[in-house]
Amino acid sequence: MSDGTVTLGIGAAAQAAASLVNTQQQIRAGERARAEQHEYERKQATARFDRELQLETVRHQRQFELRHLESDLRRQESLTALGTQTLYSTYPVPEGPGHLRAGLQLLADDLSELPPLLLFPPLAGAIEPQWAGLRSAVLAGLRRTLGSGGLVETYDHLNLFPWPHAGLYWNDLYGIPTFVAQITLFRTPSNSVSAAATSAQPPPGPNRCAASCCTAGDRRDHGTSGPWPS
């Protein structure tokens, strides 16, 4: 075998060895690349899972808060409705606060220009059949003697109420000269029925009716011959 042949064989072997080494390096590089890609994808998946978990936690928290707010709102609406129902059922003017004042403003833009307002609530006390027409008779007399001459503006579409009544005063009567007349029926020791009203005068005798008033602007105690209803 000549020297040229030996040299050629060594060179081929070296090339083969170099090719093998290069191939192994490429295989290891590919494995590293795949491992890095796998690790990258794992981290990305973990990050996506963490984000979705955080979003789900926030979503659940917001849903809980929303349910809580809705529950509070429903409870508040129920309380408001109950309060409104109670207010309208107990307010002196059946239509509610402000209705009387709005009606008076239809008569005059400046309420101070109106004659004094006379409020005439229902009778207080047990109403027996023979007294059923008393309130209408007294009101008709007041309208005939005072209302027809423009001395007072009467209003009788009212519920029974105690005086003073802060809600009625501030919502409907503030700044309006007002008289509140209240007739109370009671039984005297002689077992006869009498009628009395809030008055600064001595109480009437048996079987007499006092049609006197107290003003909405004067909160002093004028004395009563029969209790105001509560």
PDB file of all heavy atoms in Angstrom, residues 87-127:
ATOM      1  N   LEU A  87     -95.471  56.121  55.414  1.00  0.00           N
ATOM      2  CA  LEU A  87     -95.611  57.580  55.367  1.00  0.00           C
ATOM      3  C   LEU A  87     -96.976  57.973  54.811  1.00  0.00           C
ATOM      4  O   LEU A  87     -97.675  58.813  55.391  1.00  0.00           O
ATOM      5  CB  LEU A  87     -94.498  58.180  54.507  1.00  0.00           C
ATOM      6  CG  LEU A  87     -94.584  59.687  54.218  1.00  0.00           C
ATOM      7  CD1 LEU A  87     -94.477  60.481  55.520  1.00  0.00           C
ATOM      8  CD2 LEU A  87     -93.495  60.107  53.239  1.00  0.00           C
ATOM      9  N   TYR A  88     -97.372  57.367  53.696  1.00  0.00           N
ATOM     10  CA  TYR A  88     -98.640  57.737  53.073  1.00  0.00           C
ATOM     11  C   TYR A  88     -99.834  57.299  53.918  1.00  0.00           C
ATOM     12  O   TYR A  88    -100.890  57.931  53.872  1.00  0.00           O
ATOM     13  CB  TYR A  88     -98.734  57.135  51.672  1.00  0.00           C
ATOM     14  CG  TYR A  88     -98.089  57.979  50.616  1.00  0.00           C
ATOM     15  CD1 TYR A  88     -96.703  58.075  50.521  1.00  0.00           C
ATOM     16  CD2 TYR A  88     -98.843  58.695  49.708  1.00  0.00           C
ATOM     17  CE1 TYR A  88     -96.087  58.870  49.561  1.00  0.00           C
ATOM     18  CE2 TYR A  88     -98.247  59.491  48.739  1.00  0.00           C
ATOM     19  CZ  TYR A  88     -96.865  59.570  48.672  1.00  0.00           C
ATOM     20  OH  TYR A  88     -96.264  60.348  47.720  1.00  0.00           O
ATOM     21  N   SER A  89     -99.667  56.205  54.665  1.00  0.00           N
ATOM     22  CA  SER A  89    -100.791  55.727  55.487  1.00  0.00           C
ATOM     23  C   SER A  89    -100.941  56.537  56.764  1.00  0.00           C
ATOM     24  O   SER A  89    -102.013  56.517  57.376  1.00  0.00           O
ATOM     25  CB  SER A  89    -100.591  54.244  55.829  1.00  0.00           C
ATOM     26  OG  SER A  89     -99.439  54.069  56.638  1.00  0.00           O
ATOM     27  N   THR A  90     -99.906  57.245  57.175  1.00  0.00           N
ATOM     28  CA  THR A  90     -99.956  58.006  58.423  1.00  0.00           C
ATOM     29  C   THR A  90     -99.877  59.508  58.206  1.00  0.00           C
ATOM     30  O   THR A  90    -100.099  60.267  59.148  1.00  0.00           O
ATOM     31  CB  THR A  90     -98.801  57.595  59.355  1.00  0.00           C
ATOM     32  OG1 THR A  90     -97.539  57.824  58.692  1.00  0.00           O
ATOM     33  CG2 THR A  90     -98.889  56.117  59.712  1.00  0.00           C
ATOM     34  N   TYR A  91     -99.582  59.949  56.976  1.00  0.00           N
ATOM     35  CA  TYR A  91     -99.415  61.377  56.734  1.00  0.00           C
ATOM     36  C   TYR A  91    -100.782  62.066  56.768  1.00  0.00           C
ATOM     37  O   TYR A  91    -101.781  61.508  56.307  1.00  0.00           O
ATOM     38  CB  TYR A  91     -98.741  61.604  55.379  1.00  0.00           C
ATOM     39  CG  TYR A  91     -98.209  63.008  55.194  1.00  0.00           C
ATOM     40  CD1 TYR A  91     -97.075  63.433  55.881  1.00  0.00           C
ATOM     41  CD2 TYR A  91     -98.852  63.913  54.350  1.00  0.00           C
ATOM     42  CE1 TYR A  91     -96.586  64.722  55.722  1.00  0.00           C
ATOM     43  CE2 TYR A  91     -98.371  65.197  54.186  1.00  0.00           C
ATOM     44  CZ  TYR A  91     -97.234  65.597  54.880  1.00  0.00           C
ATOM     45  OH  TYR A  91     -96.753  66.879  54.734  1.00  0.00           O
ATOM     46  N   PRO A  92    -100.869  63.281  57.311  1.00  0.00           N
ATOM     47  CA  PRO A  92    -102.165  63.968  57.403  1.00  0.00           C
ATOM     48  C   PRO A  92    -102.882  64.132  56.068  1.00  0.00           C
ATOM     49  O   PRO A  92    -104.101  64.024  56.001  1.00  0.00           O
ATOM     50  CB  PRO A  92    -101.776  65.327  58.002  1.00  0.00           C
ATOM     51  CG  PRO A  92    -100.541  65.063  58.795  1.00  0.00           C
ATOM     52  CD  PRO A  92     -99.804  64.020  58.021  1.00  0.00           C
ATOM     53  N   VAL A  93    -102.119  64.401  54.998  1.00  0.00           N
ATOM     54  CA  VAL A  93    -102.719  64.537  53.669  1.00  0.00           C
ATOM     55  C   VAL A  93    -102.611  63.176  52.968  1.00  0.00           C
ATOM     56  O   VAL A  93    -101.500  62.689  52.752  1.00  0.00           O
ATOM     57  CB  VAL A  93    -102.016  65.625  52.839  1.00  0.00           C
ATOM     58  CG1 VAL A  93    -102.685  65.776  51.477  1.00  0.00           C
ATOM     59  CG2 VAL A  93    -102.021  66.955  53.587  1.00  0.00           C
ATOM     60  N   PRO A  94    -103.724  62.521  52.623  1.00  0.00           N
ATOM     61  CA  PRO A  94    -103.666  61.161  52.074  1.00  0.00           C
ATOM     62  C   PRO A  94    -102.778  61.037  50.834  1.00  0.00           C
ATOM     63  O   PRO A  94    -102.170  59.990  50.610  1.00  0.00           O
ATOM     64  CB  PRO A  94    -105.138  60.860  51.736  1.00  0.00           C
ATOM     65  CG  PRO A  94    -105.928  61.745  52.636  1.00  0.00           C
ATOM     66  CD  PRO A  94    -105.112  62.997  52.790  1.00  0.00           C
ATOM     67  N   GLU A  95    -102.693  62.100  50.022  1.00  0.00           N
ATOM     68  CA  GLU A  95    -101.896  62.015  48.795  1.00  0.00           C
ATOM     69  C   GLU A  95    -100.401  62.129  49.052  1.00  0.00           C
ATOM     70  O   GLU A  95     -99.594  61.960  48.143  1.00  0.00           O
ATOM     71  CB  GLU A  95    -102.322  63.112  47.818  1.00  0.00           C
ATOM     72  CG  GLU A  95    -103.711  62.946  47.255  1.00  0.00           C
ATOM     73  CD  GLU A  95    -104.787  63.447  48.207  1.00  0.00           C
ATOM     74  OE1 GLU A  95    -104.427  63.955  49.291  1.00  0.00           O
ATOM     75  OE2 GLU A  95    -105.976  63.328  47.874  1.00  0.00           O
ATOM     76  N   GLY A  96    -100.007  62.415  50.297  1.00  0.00           N
ATOM     77  CA  GLY A  96     -98.602  62.441  50.642  1.00  0.00           C
ATOM     78  C   GLY A  96     -98.037  63.838  50.798  1.00  0.00           C
ATOM     79  O   GLY A  96     -98.707  64.851  50.533  1.00  0.00           O
ATOM     80  N   PRO A  97     -96.766  63.920  51.224  1.00  0.00           N
ATOM     81  CA  PRO A  97     -96.115  65.211  51.470  1.00  0.00           C
ATOM     82  C   PRO A  97     -96.059  66.073  50.210  1.00  0.00           C
ATOM     83  O   PRO A  97     -95.756  65.595  49.129  1.00  0.00           O
ATOM     84  CB  PRO A  97     -94.704  64.816  51.940  1.00  0.00           C
ATOM     85  CG  PRO A  97     -94.830  63.423  52.424  1.00  0.00           C
ATOM     86  CD  PRO A  97     -95.881  62.787  51.590  1.00  0.00           C
ATOM     87  N   GLY A  98     -96.348  67.360  50.369  1.00  0.00           N
ATOM     88  CA  GLY A  98     -96.223  68.314  49.276  1.00  0.00           C
ATOM     89  C   GLY A  98     -97.479  68.483  48.443  1.00  0.00           C
ATOM     90  O   GLY A  98     -97.577  69.446  47.663  1.00  0.00           O
ATOM     91  N   HIS A  99     -98.446  67.545  48.562  1.00  0.00           N
ATOM     92  CA  HIS A  99     -99.647  67.625  47.719  1.00  0.00           C
ATOM     93  C   HIS A  99    -100.475  68.864  48.048  1.00  0.00           C
ATOM     94  O   HIS A  99    -100.937  69.577  47.137  1.00  0.00           O
ATOM     95  CB  HIS A  99    -100.484  66.366  47.892  1.00  0.00           C
ATOM     96  CG  HIS A  99    -101.754  66.371  47.101  1.00  0.00           C
ATOM     97  ND1 HIS A  99    -101.792  66.052  45.764  1.00  0.00           N
ATOM     98  CD2 HIS A  99    -103.027  66.686  47.454  1.00  0.00           C
ATOM     99  CE1 HIS A  99    -103.034  66.158  45.324  1.00  0.00           C
ATOM    100  NE2 HIS A  99    -103.807  66.546  46.326  1.00  0.00           N
ATOM    101  N   LEU A 100    -100.675  69.122  49.322  1.00  0.00           N
ATOM    102  CA  LEU A 100    -101.472  70.280  49.728  1.00  0.00           C
ATOM    103  C   LEU A 100    -100.810  71.572  49.265  1.00  0.00           C
ATOM    104  O   LEU A 100    -101.477  72.463  48.712  1.00  0.00           O
ATOM    105  CB  LEU A 100    -101.643  70.286  51.247  1.00  0.00           C
ATOM    106  CG  LEU A 100    -102.311  71.527  51.861  1.00  0.00           C
ATOM    107  CD1 LEU A 100    -103.684  71.755  51.261  1.00  0.00           C
ATOM    108  CD2 LEU A 100    -102.400  71.370  53.373  1.00  0.00           C
ATOM    109  N   ARG A 101     -99.516  71.672  49.456  1.00  0.00           N
ATOM    110  CA  ARG A 101     -98.798  72.886  49.051  1.00  0.00           C
ATOM    111  C   ARG A 101     -98.872  73.092  47.540  1.00  0.00           C
ATOM    112  O   ARG A 101     -99.077  74.214  47.064  1.00  0.00           O
ATOM    113  CB  ARG A 101     -97.345  72.802  49.519  1.00  0.00           C
ATOM    114  CG  ARG A 101     -96.591  74.127  49.418  1.00  0.00           C
ATOM    115  CD  ARG A 101     -95.172  73.993  49.954  1.00  0.00           C
ATOM    116  NE  ARG A 101     -94.562  75.293  50.129  1.00  0.00           N
ATOM    117  CZ  ARG A 101     -94.650  76.024  51.224  1.00  0.00           C
ATOM    118  NH1 ARG A 101     -95.353  75.561  52.268  1.00  0.00           N
ATOM    119  NH2 ARG A 101     -94.070  77.203  51.314  1.00  0.00           N
ATOM    120  N   ALA A 102     -98.717  72.014  46.777  1.00  0.00           N
ATOM    121  CA  ALA A 102     -98.798  72.119  45.310  1.00  0.00           C
ATOM    122  C   ALA A 102    -100.181  72.583  44.877  1.00  0.00           C
ATOM    123  O   ALA A 102    -100.321  73.376  43.939  1.00  0.00           O
ATOM    124  CB  ALA A 102     -98.459  70.775  44.670  1.00  0.00           C
ATOM    125  N   GLY A 103    -101.229  72.103  45.559  1.00  0.00           N
ATOM    126  CA  GLY A 103    -102.570  72.539  45.217  1.00  0.00           C
ATOM    127  C   GLY A 103    -102.787  74.014  45.513  1.00  0.00           C
ATOM    128  O   GLY A 103    -103.419  74.732  44.728  1.00  0.00           O
ATOM    129  N   LEU A 104    -102.241  74.479  46.636  1.00  0.00           N
ATOM    130  CA  LEU A 104    -102.381  75.899  46.970  1.00  0.00           C
ATOM    131  C   LEU A 104    -101.624  76.782  45.986  1.00  0.00           C
ATOM    132  O   LEU A 104    -102.041  77.911  45.699  1.00  0.00           O
ATOM    133  CB  LEU A 104    -101.875  76.143  48.397  1.00  0.00           C
ATOM    134  CG  LEU A 104    -102.699  75.487  49.519  1.00  0.00           C
ATOM    135  CD1 LEU A 104    -102.014  75.676  50.857  1.00  0.00           C
ATOM    136  CD2 LEU A 104    -104.113  76.053  49.542  1.00  0.00           C
ATOM    137  N   GLN A 105    -100.518  76.263  45.451  1.00  0.00           N
ATOM    138  CA  GLN A 105     -99.746  77.049  44.486  1.00  0.00           C
ATOM    139  C   GLN A 105    -100.494  77.223  43.171  1.00  0.00           C
ATOM    140  O   GLN A 105    -100.137  78.101  42.372  1.00  0.00           O
ATOM    141  CB  GLN A 105     -98.389  76.386  44.256  1.00  0.00           C
ATOM    142  CG  GLN A 105     -97.438  76.568  45.429  1.00  0.00           C
ATOM    143  CD  GLN A 105     -96.141  75.788  45.272  1.00  0.00           C
ATOM    144  OE1 GLN A 105     -96.099  74.770  44.586  1.00  0.00           O
ATOM    145  NE2 GLN A 105     -95.087  76.272  45.905  1.00  0.00           N
ATOM    146  N   LEU A 106    -101.506  76.397  42.941  1.00  0.00           N
ATOM    147  CA  LEU A 106    -102.358  76.607  41.769  1.00  0.00           C
ATOM    148  C   LEU A 106    -103.265  77.822  41.959  1.00  0.00           C
ATOM    149  O   LEU A 106    -103.744  78.412  40.987  1.00  0.00           O
ATOM    150  CB  LEU A 106    -103.211  75.372  41.504  1.00  0.00           C
ATOM    151  CG  LEU A 106    -102.447  74.091  41.136  1.00  0.00           C
ATOM    152  CD1 LEU A 106    -103.410  72.928  40.989  1.00  0.00           C
ATOM    153  CD2 LEU A 106    -101.634  74.275  39.861  1.00  0.00           C
ATOM    154  N   LEU A 107    -103.506  78.187  43.218  1.00  0.00           N
ATOM    155  CA  LEU A 107    -104.361  79.336  43.517  1.00  0.00           C
ATOM    156  C   LEU A 107    -103.573  80.640  43.519  1.00  0.00           C
ATOM    157  O   LEU A 107    -104.102  81.689  43.171  1.00  0.00           O
ATOM    158  CB  LEU A 107    -105.038  79.150  44.879  1.00  0.00           C
ATOM    159  CG  LEU A 107    -105.910  77.885  45.030  1.00  0.00           C
ATOM    160  CD1 LEU A 107    -106.467  77.812  46.440  1.00  0.00           C
ATOM    161  CD2 LEU A 107    -107.031  77.894  44.002  1.00  0.00           C
ATOM    162  N   ALA A 108    -102.295  80.559  43.929  1.00  0.00           N
ATOM    163  CA  ALA A 108    -101.473  81.777  43.984  1.00  0.00           C
ATOM    164  C   ALA A 108    -100.008  81.380  43.949  1.00  0.00           C
ATOM    165  O   ALA A 108     -99.585  80.466  44.667  1.00  0.00           O
ATOM    166  CB  ALA A 108    -101.775  82.583  45.250  1.00  0.00           C
ATOM    167  N   ASP A 109     -99.240  82.055  43.100  1.00  0.00           N
ATOM    168  CA  ASP A 109     -97.804  81.776  43.048  1.00  0.00           C
ATOM    169  C   ASP A 109     -97.140  82.128  44.368  1.00  0.00           C
ATOM    170  O   ASP A 109     -96.254  81.421  44.852  1.00  0.00           O
ATOM    171  CB  ASP A 109     -97.159  82.567  41.906  1.00  0.00           C
ATOM    172  CG  ASP A 109     -97.624  82.079  40.546  1.00  0.00           C
ATOM    173  OD1 ASP A 109     -98.003  80.891  40.454  1.00  0.00           O
ATOM    174  OD2 ASP A 109     -97.621  82.876  39.595  1.00  0.00           O
ATOM    175  N   ASP A 110     -97.560  83.249  44.949  1.00  0.00           N
ATOM    176  CA  ASP A 110     -97.046  83.678  46.245  1.00  0.00           C
ATOM    177  C   ASP A 110     -98.047  83.241  47.304  1.00  0.00           C
ATOM    178  O   ASP A 110     -99.128  83.815  47.442  1.00  0.00           O
ATOM    179  CB  ASP A 110     -96.858  85.199  46.271  1.00  0.00           C
ATOM    180  CG  ASP A 110     -96.212  85.677  47.562  1.00  0.00           C
ATOM    181  OD1 ASP A 110     -95.942  84.827  48.445  1.00  0.00           O
ATOM    182  OD2 ASP A 110     -95.976  86.897  47.685  1.00  0.00           O
ATOM    183  N   LEU A 111     -97.694  82.188  48.059  1.00  0.00           N
ATOM    184  CA  LEU A 111     -98.637  81.627  49.019  1.00  0.00           C
ATOM    185  C   LEU A 111     -98.965  82.598  50.148  1.00  0.00           C
ATOM    186  O   LEU A 111     -99.998  82.453  50.811  1.00  0.00           O
ATOM    187  CB  LEU A 111     -98.073  80.325  49.596  1.00  0.00           C
ATOM    188  CG  LEU A 111     -97.893  79.185  48.580  1.00  0.00           C
ATOM    189  CD1 LEU A 111     -97.312  77.956  49.249  1.00  0.00           C
ATOM    190  CD2 LEU A 111     -99.203  78.855  47.895  1.00  0.00           C
ATOM    191  N   SER A 112     -98.110  83.589  50.366  1.00  0.00           N
ATOM    192  CA  SER A 112     -98.393  84.571  51.411  1.00  0.00           C
ATOM    193  C   SER A 112     -99.562  85.475  51.036  1.00  0.00           C
ATOM    194  O   SER A 112    -100.124  86.168  51.895  1.00  0.00           O
ATOM    195  CB  SER A 112     -97.145  85.419  51.701  1.00  0.00           C
ATOM    196  OG  SER A 112     -96.787  86.182  50.553  1.00  0.00           O
ATOM    197  N   GLU A 113     -99.941  85.484  49.756  1.00  0.00           N
ATOM    198  CA  GLU A 113    -101.066  86.302  49.323  1.00  0.00           C
ATOM    199  C   GLU A 113    -102.406  85.628  49.589  1.00  0.00           C
ATOM    200  O   GLU A 113    -103.456  86.280  49.509  1.00  0.00           O
ATOM    201  CB  GLU A 113    -100.940  86.611  47.823  1.00  0.00           C
ATOM    202  CG  GLU A 113     -99.716  87.451  47.463  1.00  0.00           C
ATOM    203  CD  GLU A 113     -99.618  87.685  45.970  1.00  0.00           C
ATOM    204  OE1 GLU A 113    -100.452  87.115  45.236  1.00  0.00           O
ATOM    205  OE2 GLU A 113     -98.722  88.430  45.541  1.00  0.00           O
ATOM    206  N   LEU A 114    -102.394  84.325  49.893  1.00  0.00           N
ATOM    207  CA  LEU A 114    -103.638  83.614  50.167  1.00  0.00           C
ATOM    208  C   LEU A 114    -104.177  84.006  51.539  1.00  0.00           C
ATOM    209  O   LEU A 114    -103.421  84.382  52.439  1.00  0.00           O
ATOM    210  CB  LEU A 114    -103.395  82.106  50.134  1.00  0.00           C
ATOM    211  CG  LEU A 114    -103.127  81.461  48.773  1.00  0.00           C
ATOM    212  CD1 LEU A 114    -102.781  79.992  48.955  1.00  0.00           C
ATOM    213  CD2 LEU A 114    -104.334  81.615  47.858  1.00  0.00           C
ATOM    214  N   PRO A 115    -105.492  83.912  51.734  1.00  0.00           N
ATOM    215  CA  PRO A 115    -106.036  84.072  53.088  1.00  0.00           C
ATOM    216  C   PRO A 115    -105.545  82.926  53.963  1.00  0.00           C
ATOM    217  O   PRO A 115    -105.069  81.913  53.462  1.00  0.00           O
ATOM    218  CB  PRO A 115    -107.553  84.024  52.862  1.00  0.00           C
ATOM    219  CG  PRO A 115    -107.733  83.285  51.584  1.00  0.00           C
ATOM    220  CD  PRO A 115    -106.544  83.645  50.734  1.00  0.00           C
ATOM    221  N   PRO A 116    -105.634  83.064  55.280  1.00  0.00           N
ATOM    222  CA  PRO A 116    -105.190  81.971  56.160  1.00  0.00           C
ATOM    223  C   PRO A 116    -105.853  80.647  55.799  1.00  0.00           C
ATOM    224  O   PRO A 116    -107.012  80.603  55.380  1.00  0.00           O
ATOM    225  CB  PRO A 116    -105.617  82.457  57.549  1.00  0.00           C
ATOM    226  CG  PRO A 116    -105.654  83.940  57.430  1.00  0.00           C
ATOM    227  CD  PRO A 116    -106.118  84.226  56.035  1.00  0.00           C
ATOM    228  N   LEU A 117    -105.099  79.590  55.951  1.00  0.00           N
ATOM    229  CA  LEU A 117    -105.581  78.238  55.636  1.00  0.00           C
ATOM    230  C   LEU A 117    -106.192  77.627  56.891  1.00  0.00           C
ATOM    231  O   LEU A 117    -105.584  77.656  57.966  1.00  0.00           O
ATOM    232  CB  LEU A 117    -104.428  77.376  55.128  1.00  0.00           C
ATOM    233  CG  LEU A 117    -104.732  75.917  54.797  1.00  0.00           C
ATOM    234  CD1 LEU A 117    -105.710  75.828  53.633  1.00  0.00           C
ATOM    235  CD2 LEU A 117    -103.447  75.171  54.482  1.00  0.00           C
ATOM    236  N   LEU A 118    -107.374  77.077  56.758  1.00  0.00           N
ATOM    237  CA  LEU A 118    -108.045  76.401  57.871  1.00  0.00           C
ATOM    238  C   LEU A 118    -108.095  74.910  57.566  1.00  0.00           C
ATOM    239  O   LEU A 118    -108.771  74.473  56.642  1.00  0.00           O
ATOM    240  CB  LEU A 118    -109.461  76.947  58.070  1.00  0.00           C
ATOM    241  CG  LEU A 118    -110.324  76.216  59.112  1.00  0.00           C
ATOM    242  CD1 LEU A 118    -109.681  76.297  60.492  1.00  0.00           C
ATOM    243  CD2 LEU A 118    -111.736  76.782  59.134  1.00  0.00           C
ATOM    244  N   LEU A 119    -107.346  74.129  58.332  1.00  0.00           N
ATOM    245  CA  LEU A 119    -107.362  72.675  58.191  1.00  0.00           C
ATOM    246  C   LEU A 119    -108.393  72.098  59.141  1.00  0.00           C
ATOM    247  O   LEU A 119    -108.433  72.461  60.329  1.00  0.00           O
ATOM    248  CB  LEU A 119    -105.976  72.090  58.513  1.00  0.00           C
ATOM    249  CG  LEU A 119    -104.821  72.552  57.629  1.00  0.00           C
ATOM    250  CD1 LEU A 119    -103.540  71.812  58.018  1.00  0.00           C
ATOM    251  CD2 LEU A 119    -105.123  72.351  56.155  1.00  0.00           C
ATOM    252  N   PHE A 120    -109.217  71.195  58.631  1.00  0.00           N
ATOM    253  CA  PHE A 120    -110.301  70.633  59.428  1.00  0.00           C
ATOM    254  C   PHE A 120    -110.229  69.112  59.355  1.00  0.00           C
ATOM    255  O   PHE A 120    -110.868  68.477  58.510  1.00  0.00           O
ATOM    256  CB  PHE A 120    -111.648  71.142  58.902  1.00  0.00           C
ATOM    257  CG  PHE A 120    -112.755  71.066  59.912  1.00  0.00           C
ATOM    258  CD1 PHE A 120    -112.858  72.011  60.921  1.00  0.00           C
ATOM    259  CD2 PHE A 120    -113.690  70.055  59.859  1.00  0.00           C
ATOM    260  CE1 PHE A 120    -113.874  71.941  61.850  1.00  0.00           C
ATOM    261  CE2 PHE A 120    -114.713  69.979  60.785  1.00  0.00           C
ATOM    262  CZ  PHE A 120    -114.808  70.931  61.779  1.00  0.00           C
ATOM    263  N   PRO A 121    -109.427  68.467  60.241  1.00  0.00           N
ATOM    264  CA  PRO A 121    -109.292  67.000  60.215  1.00  0.00           C
ATOM    265  C   PRO A 121    -110.577  66.312  60.638  1.00  0.00           C
ATOM    266  O   PRO A 121    -111.513  66.962  61.133  1.00  0.00           O
ATOM    267  CB  PRO A 121    -108.169  66.742  61.233  1.00  0.00           C
ATOM    268  CG  PRO A 121    -107.535  68.065  61.495  1.00  0.00           C
ATOM    269  CD  PRO A 121    -108.590  69.093  61.268  1.00  0.00           C
ATOM    270  N   PRO A 122    -110.645  65.003  60.499  1.00  0.00           N
ATOM    271  CA  PRO A 122    -111.827  64.261  60.951  1.00  0.00           C
ATOM    272  C   PRO A 122    -112.011  64.394  62.466  1.00  0.00           C
ATOM    273  O   PRO A 122    -111.100  64.771  63.197  1.00  0.00           O
ATOM    274  CB  PRO A 122    -111.521  62.811  60.555  1.00  0.00           C
ATOM    275  CG  PRO A 122    -110.499  62.918  59.478  1.00  0.00           C
ATOM    276  CD  PRO A 122    -109.688  64.134  59.799  1.00  0.00           C
ATOM    277  N   LEU A 123    -113.208  64.051  62.929  1.00  0.00           N
ATOM    278  CA  LEU A 123    -113.497  64.097  64.353  1.00  0.00           C
ATOM    279  C   LEU A 123    -112.644  63.072  65.092  1.00  0.00           C
ATOM    280  O   LEU A 123    -112.397  61.978  64.600  1.00  0.00           O
ATOM    281  CB  LEU A 123    -114.977  63.810  64.609  1.00  0.00           C
ATOM    282  CG  LEU A 123    -115.996  64.751  63.962  1.00  0.00           C
ATOM    283  CD1 LEU A 123    -117.403  64.361  64.393  1.00  0.00           C
ATOM    284  CD2 LEU A 123    -115.707  66.199  64.303  1.00  0.00           C
ATOM    285  N   ALA A 124    -112.222  63.443  66.287  1.00  0.00           N
ATOM    286  CA  ALA A 124    -111.478  62.518  67.137  1.00  0.00           C
ATOM    287  C   ALA A 124    -112.427  61.901  68.148  1.00  0.00           C
ATOM    288  O   ALA A 124    -113.315  62.570  68.669  1.00  0.00           O
ATOM    289  CB  ALA A 124    -110.346  63.252  67.848  1.00  0.00           C
ATOM    290  N   GLY A 125    -112.226  60.632  68.443  1.00  0.00           N
ATOM    291  CA  GLY A 125    -113.089  59.950  69.393  1.00  0.00           C
ATOM    292  C   GLY A 125    -114.072  59.039  68.696  1.00  0.00           C
ATOM    293  O   GLY A 125    -114.176  59.004  67.471  1.00  0.00           O
ATOM    294  N   ALA A 126    -114.811  58.293  69.501  1.00  0.00           N
ATOM    295  CA  ALA A 126    -115.807  57.362  68.958  1.00  0.00           C
ATOM    296  C   ALA A 126    -116.992  58.139  68.406  1.00  0.00           C
ATOM    297  O   ALA A 126    -117.593  58.950  69.109  1.00  0.00           O
ATOM    298  CB  ALA A 126    -116.263  56.397  70.051  1.00  0.00           C
ATOM    299  N   ILE A 127    -117.303  57.911  67.135  1.00  0.00           N
ATOM    300  CA  ILE A 127    -118.385  58.629  66.473  1.00  0.00           C
ATOM    301  C   ILE A 127    -119.653  57.785  66.549  1.00  0.00           C
ATOM    302  O   ILE A 127    -119.737  56.702  65.956  1.00  0.00           O
ATOM    303  CB  ILE A 127    -118.039  58.938  65.009  1.00  0.00           C
ATOM    304  CG1 ILE A 127    -116.678  59.627  64.928  1.00  0.00           C
ATOM    305  CG2 ILE A 127    -119.119  59.803  64.379  1.00  0.00           C
ATOM    306  CD1 ILE A 127    -116.588  60.923  65.687  1.00  0.00           C
TER     307      ILE A 127
END
